[in-house]
Amino acid sequence: MFEALLAPRLLRPLFWLFAAFSLVMALLPAPPSLTTYNLGDKFEHMLAFSVLTLVARLAWPGTRIWIPVLLLSLYGALIELLQTIPALHRDADLRDWLADSVAIALGALIAQLLIYFRANRDTT
């Protein structure tokens, strides 16, 4: 049952849904407060980008690891660039992009471990 939930055909639309949600939240002039127990803005960035990366790696397991890492890092940079638009009333911050990038690396590592253990479990 759990394996069926991790099927790439199910995870791919979930990835695009998460990506769209993160973009909307990043560009809303006044996004709703998330209940992250006052862990701060960087925690929210890291949560979003680690989940995006994990889902991307599991949705496209045959893709070389550097492709989603690079694309998601560029996506994080694009969000920060878009936040410089005055009409959005948002603040771009290089530290946000750095938090995104650290989370992307962490998400990729966790995904690789899951892919590795899944492959080894199937061969035993």
Side-chain angles (χ1 to χ4, degrees):
M1 168 79 175
F2 186 68
E3 282 294 315
L5 293 175
L6 294 178
R9 65 180 173 76
L10 294 177
L11 291 175
R12 288 176 182 155
L14 186 63
F15 168 80
W16 293 113
L17 181 66
F18 285 169
F21 177 76
S22 68
L23 182 63
V24 168
M25 292 297 285
L27 298 181
L28 281 175
S33 296
L34 300 178
T35 56
T36 54
Y37 304 103
N38 297 322
L39 294 173
D41 164 66
K42 302 305 177 263
F43 177 78
E44 292 168 1
H45 278 264
M46 294 187 77
L47 179 63
F49 276 86
S50 61
V51 169
L52 274 171
T53 306
L54 180 64
V55 174
R57 283 299 296 145
L58 296 176
W60 289 278
T63 304
R64 294 183 185 267
I65 190 168
W66 65 268
I67 294 172
V69 167
L70 176 64
L71 292 175
L72 286 168
S73 184
L74 290 172
Y75 177 62
L78 175 65
I79 286 173
E80 294 307 314
L81 182 64
L82 291 172
Q83 286 181 341
T84 65
I85 298 171
L88 294 177
H89 303 288
R90 297 298 299 253
D91 295 318
D93 186 349
L94 179 62
R95 292 171 298 177
D96 289 344
W97 178 72
L98 291 173
D100 298 343
S101 297
V102 168
I104 290 165
L106 181 63
L109 176 64
I110 292 168
Q112 283 307 112
L113 290 172
L114 287 172
I115 291 168
Y116 173 79
F117 288 122
R118 178 196 275 172
N120 284 338
R121 189 198 69 211
D122 292 342
T123 60
T124 58

